[in-house]
Amino acid sequence: MVSSKDVAKLAGVSQSTVSRVLNTPEKVRTDKYDKVVKAMEELNYRPNAIARSLVKKQTKSIALISGPIHNPFFAETTTSIVNYCKSKGYNTNVHFEVFGDNSSIIKDVSEMQVDGIILSSILMDDKIYYDLKALNIPFVMFNRKHNEPGNYFEMDNILAGQQVTEHLLEINHQDIVWIGGPLNMSTFHGRYEGFRLSMKAHGLTVGTNNTFITDTSEQGIRDVVKDLMSKRHRPTAIFAATDSIAIFILDFLLEKGYRVPEDVSLIGIDNTKLSQHHSVQLTTVGTEQCINLGQVAIETLIDQIETGKFELTQKTYSTKLFNRSTTRAI
């Protein structure tokens, strides 16, 4: 294999000059830089990534801890994050959440040695937050966040929950059911709170008869909706706390011969690309500017890694309703 010593010999410079060209090229005179680059090209030299990471104290690797891949929101954000990292010369180690406990993932990530962590899989009181802090590397949360202060990018989940509920109330629905995930996740907690506040403001109660907490899996959602639709008194509208949940519900309802929105109105949150598909046209709520939360989060993380400036960044984006085809007035 060609070594840096071979490059130095051909270029007529020292090995330390070759090292500076690879790691701090701005400190090398133009004539020497050109000689080294030319020698590398002639010898087809490829620097050893591990050796360079030891010199620069960087691995050029990012760990992504994402929510479940069955949710199109996480599929979209994972794609954006991986593509952006690649464009910046970083590898992405992708991990998908272990429902309710990511401690084993954090252990794996800490053993890999990465430059930073971006995660959408964290509970509001999650103990892994303190494990992340102990790693002493930058990390950014998106979509979900912890109760403790940290870098995060989210939508205004309470506002989103209120906008969904107000839309359904404005078109005369009162028998509204909320279907979501665990309330120790900031997304579901906020969206449920928005639902509760709006219902209360209109003199409507929220309880076990119209609130259903699931593991967000397709089977879990189907079980809840099957039970709901078998009752004599069915809801006129379903508030799905994510587009992913809404799409599982839509698929089940259509499979069983129900019409949406004629038999029941359906609305989600996230405004994923799938919700916009002409065959779906899901009424939903998303960020006003259609922000990709994973994209803005990874841009911030890499900027912090490369500049060494770890200023606290916290962003909550306002939301709006995208009124499509799955809700109707009654």
Side-chain angles (χ1 to χ4, degrees):
M1 291 180 62
V2 178
S3 68
S4 61
K5 184 177 180 180
D6 298 319
V7 173
K9 183 177 180 181
L10 181 60
V13 298
S14 65
Q15 274 186 272
S16 60
T17 297
V18 174
S19 178
R20 284 196 296 275
V21 168
L22 293 172
N23 299 294
T24 54
E26 69 279 2
K27 296 181 179 180
V28 182
R29 276 176 20 204
T30 302
D31 59 331
K32 288 188 175 182
Y33 176 86
D34 291 342
K35 288 180 180 179
V36 171
V37 170
K38 183 179 180 182
M40 287 182 186
E41 290 174 348
E42 287 185 19
L43 296 171
N44 197 28
Y45 173 68
R46 296 291 181 268
N48 185 294
I50 296 174
R52 289 187 66 185
S53 71
L54 292 173
V55 173
K56 300 189 67 144
K57 297 182 179 179
Q58 282 189 355
T59 64
K60 300 296 282 187
S61 293
I62 300 292
L64 164 62
I65 305 173
S66 173
I69 195 64
H70 68 245
N71 185 331
F73 172 87
F74 296 120
E76 289 174 18
T77 51
T78 295
T79 300
S80 295
I81 290 165
V82 170
N83 287 343
Y84 185 77
C85 284
K86 185 177 180 180
S87 74
K88 293 294 183 178
Y90 287 80
N91 295 315
T92 312
N93 301 315
V94 182
H95 307 262
F96 293 104
E97 72 178 5
V98 177
F99 199 78
D101 184 9
N102 283 321
S103 55
S104 61
I105 293 177
I106 295 299
K107 183 176 183 295
D108 290 343
V109 168
S110 64
E111 291 174 353
M112 285 179 184
Q113 295 186 326
V114 294
D115 296 331
I117 299 172
I118 180 169
L119 70 160
S120 58
S121 178
I122 192 166
L123 307 178
M124 295 169 67
D125 57 354
D126 210 322
K127 63 183 181 180
I128 69 165
Y129 177 88
Y130 306 100
D131 297 327
L132 289 167
K133 292 280 284 187
L135 294 176
N136 201 32
I137 58 175
F139 68 93
V140 177
M141 299 169 282
F142 71 95
N143 193 50
R144 303 180 198 162
K145 66 179 181 181
H146 197 271
N147 287 329
E148 295 289 342
N151 297 306
Y152 66 77
F153 293 83
E154 63 169 358
M155 71 165 64
D156 188 332
N157 290 295
I158 294 178
L159 175 61
Q162 290 175 311
Q163 288 172 329
V164 167
T165 311
E166 291 297 331
H167 169 66
L168 294 174
L169 292 168
E170 285 170 6
I171 55 178
N172 302 318
H173 292 277
Q174 292 193 347
D175 294 325
I176 306 169
V177 163
W178 185 93
I179 301 177
L183 299 184
N184 58 353
M185 295 179 182
S186 62
T187 46
F188 295 121
H189 182 273
R191 295 169 192 188
Y192 172 76
E193 183 65 6
F195 170 63
R196 188 189 67 80
L197 289 172
S198 285
M199 292 286 279
K200 182 180 179 182
H202 288 265
L204 300 170
T205 59
V206 171
T208 55
N209 65 313
N210 60 357
T211 302
F212 297 89
I213 297 170
T214 74
D215 63 2
T216 77
S217 69
E218 181 174 9
Q219 190 57 53
I221 302 303
R222 291 173 69 91
D223 289 344
V224 167
V225 180
K226 180 181 179 181
D227 183 60
L228 274 176
M229 301 308 288
S230 68
K231 296 182 184 299
R232 184 173 181 179
H233 185 73
R234 299 171 183 164
T236 63
I238 298 176
F239 174 171
T242 66
D243 285 358
S244 175
I245 292 172
I247 290 165
F248 286 149
I249 294 171
L250 180 63
D251 183 62
F252 175 83
L253 291 172
L254 296 177
E255 176 190 318
K256 298 303 179 182
Y258 294 102
R259 299 168 301 162
V260 178
E262 290 82 4
D263 295 323
V264 60
S265 285
L266 175 65
I267 185 170
I269 293 181
D270 282 331
N271 193 35
T272 58
K273 290 180 180 177
L274 184 55
S275 74
Q276 303 167 43
H277 195 280
H278 288 89
S279 66
V280 178
Q281 285 295 292
L282 178 70
T283 300
T284 185
V285 166
T287 56
E288 280 189 316
Q289 304 301 321
C290 299
I291 301 295
N292 183 312
L293 296 174
Q295 181 70 33
V296 291
I298 191 60
E299 289 174 5
T300 297
L301 177 62
I302 289 182
D303 182 66
Q304 289 190 353
I305 292 168
E306 297 192 340
T307 64
K309 297 178 181 177
F310 305 129
E311 297 176 358
L312 194 63
T313 304
Q314 299 177 335
K315 183 68 175 177
T316 300
Y317 293 95
S318 187
T319 57
K320 73 172 186 177
L321 176 76
F322 295 85
N323 193 357
R324 300 194 179 105
S325 301
T326 59
T327 56
R328 75 177 185 101
I330 58 173

